[in-house]
Amino acid sequence: MKKRQFIKSLGLGLGIVPFTGFTTTNKPINPDTLLPKKLQPGDWVGLVSPSAATADIMEFTFAKEALEALGLKVVEGKYLSERRGHLAGSDVERAADLNEMFGNKKIKAVVCIRGGSGAARILPLLNYELIKKNPKPIMGYSDITALHNAINAQTGLITFHGPNGSGSWNSFNADQFRTVFFGTGGTITYKNELEETDDLVIKKNRIRTIHPGKAEGDLVGGNLTVLTALAGSPYLPDFKNKILFLEDIGEEPYRIDRMMSTLMLMGVFREIRGFIFGQCTDCDPSGGYGNLTLDQILDDYLLPHKIPAFRGAMIGHVPKQFLLPFGARMSMDANLGILETRGAIFQ
């Protein structure tokens, strides 16, 4: 067998399409919403690493033990602990693990161990037809934003923006997981937890209403940096009549402004029905008076459109975070800082 033929057969054996550049259309397909199958205690879940490599070997143990403590059984991806530079293995290997988990009937959900960088590199290698035929939950955040948006744009599947496998599994996050995946299927309400304090004024987890009002639409978004890096690709969903949520970490305000301007130039703020900004961790200006504040930036881009908008939701690089159904029908109240599901998120 010739080398080219061997490589091609290897790729097909792993359940992936060999990379030949963008094989999808230049625009998202905008498919109908596809509900994943319900997760049950005792189910097998796949642990994968689509982005950056994990330096501390104990992180694999922590992730496995956390998922087991939630009542699940864990299968580790074949290439979970691989490394190529800053990445968790080659693009082909990382994509192969994801495709394998979606194709394996035994696996009922997919959990990403961490974010970092690199998930966008594997988007052309994912088998979206396979994913569409085997709808199951996939969970993660930060760089996993690339997967949420691509899978939604290409298949319509509802995915889950929430803790990574090796992230914080405090009681709040564990309760969120149980409510979303093992709950009754009723309405899920997301409202910031206000922690007790002996101060006269509660300051942590407060929301700020940017523009009052209520809205309803499918929920899309994620990490601002990762989201805007997908601009012009077929891996962003249509923003028409959607609720957009954003978060970020380690970005100075001028960079937030630049990325918000990208969304503005894409026409996003003209199309969405509502807007939520979660947490921007370590996003303070470097000093001096030459910076716009984050509040000024959000006001500049959102107030002209008079859509319901608020900031401060428990979304992002914070210990306690919401576990949100990406692509699901949601309602929001910008005055109260509340998000609620509207309809089923599972089959």
Side-chain angles (χ1 to χ4, degrees):
M1 181 181 291
K2 294 183 180 180
K3 182 178 179 181
R4 184 184 298 273
Q5 293 173 321
F6 173 74
I7 292 174
K8 183 176 180 180
S9 65
L10 176 63
L12 294 174
L14 291 172
I16 63 174
V17 179
F19 176 64
T20 56
F22 291 121
T23 57
T24 52
T25 61
N26 289 327
K27 294 182 179 180
I29 298 172
N30 299 325
D32 294 333
T33 300
L34 177 63
L35 301 181
K37 293 182 179 178
K38 181 77 174 174
L39 190 62
Q40 302 289 341
D43 280 345
W44 288 93
V45 298
L47 189 62
V48 297
S49 189
S51 299
T54 301
D56 185 351
I57 196 170
M58 286 300 293
E59 295 294 330
F60 301 114
T61 301
F62 297 152
K64 185 172 184 292
E65 289 181 351
L67 292 170
E68 289 173 343
L70 289 165
L72 301 165
K73 293 179 285 189
V74 179
V75 174
E76 295 185 352
K78 180 179 179 181
Y79 302 106
L80 179 67
S81 59
E82 291 295 314
R83 182 161 195 161
R84 179 176 180 265
H86 72 284
L87 302 169
S90 69
D91 295 345
V92 169
E93 289 170 338
R94 288 178 289 120
D97 266 359
L98 265 173
N99 289 329
E100 168 62 24
M101 293 303 179
F102 273 99
N104 187 336
K105 301 295 184 182
K106 174 183 176 182
I107 304 300
K108 304 303 180 183
V110 184
V111 178
C112 302
I113 191 168
R114 63 159 299 176
S117 178
R121 293 172 59 109
I122 70 172
L123 299 185
L125 299 176
L126 297 183
N127 189 333
Y128 296 102
E129 284 302 314
L130 178 70
I131 293 171
K132 193 169 184 178
K133 291 176 182 177
N134 298 277
K136 57 187 71 174
I138 178 171
M139 184 178 73
Y141 81 108
S142 192
D143 194 52
I144 308 306
T145 292
L147 299 182
H148 292 309
N149 281 276
I151 290 173
N152 182 265
Q154 294 295 318
T155 73
L157 178 65
I158 290 177
T159 60
F160 295 87
H161 184 279
N164 293 317
S166 62
S168 176
W169 285 104
N170 51 64
S171 59
F172 182 89
N173 291 349
D175 287 344
Q176 286 270 302
F177 186 96
R178 296 186 186 100
T179 297
V180 172
F181 292 113
F182 303 150
T184 62
T187 299
I188 301 173
T189 301
Y190 299 90
K191 184 177 182 180
N192 280 10
E193 177 187 74
L194 298 180
E195 299 179 359
E196 291 185 8
T197 176
D198 60 359
D199 199 333
L200 288 174
V201 177
I202 296 175
K203 298 178 181 178
K204 191 173 183 180
N205 290 340
R206 294 285 295 271
I207 67 109
R208 180 179 82 87
T209 300
I210 299 170
H211 192 275
K214 299 178 181 180
E216 186 171 322
D218 294 346
L219 186 70
V220 297
N223 180 268
L224 176 60
T225 299
V226 178
L227 182 79
T228 53
L230 299 176
S233 79
Y235 302 115
L236 277 180
D238 185 359
F239 290 96
K240 185 74 173 177
N241 297 326
K242 304 293 175 65
I243 294 175
L244 175 65
F245 74 97
L246 299 173
E247 61 84 22
D248 220 315
I249 182 171
E251 298 288 356
E252 288 196 38
Y254 79 90
R255 292 200 291 264
I256 298 292
D257 179 66
R258 182 172 60 211
M259 291 182 282
M260 290 290 286
S261 71
T262 297
L263 296 180
M264 179 267 292
L265 294 171
M266 291 167 58
V268 169
F269 301 126
R270 294 196 307 269
E271 296 183 329
I272 59 175
R273 288 183 174 176
F275 177 89
I276 301 166
F277 200 95
Q279 305 293 321
C280 201
T281 307
D282 297 328
C283 293
D284 297 326
S286 57
Y289 294 94
N291 293 281
L292 293 171
T293 67
L294 182 57
D295 286 313
Q296 287 174 320
I297 292 167
L298 295 176
D299 288 351
D300 283 350
Y301 289 104
L302 295 166
L303 287 180
H305 299 285
K306 299 180 179 180
I307 57 173
F310 71 95
R311 66 164 294 196
M314 294 172 64
I315 304 170
H317 292 71
V318 287
K320 297 180 179 181
Q321 57 179 283
F322 293 150
L323 205 168
L324 299 168
F326 187 109
R329 193 74 175 178
M330 305 281 285
S331 66
M332 62 168 286
D333 186 324
N335 301 66
L336 301 177
I338 291 177
L339 259 175
E340 286 188 328
T341 55
R342 284 287 180 264
I345 59 176
F346 293 105
Q347 294 182 18

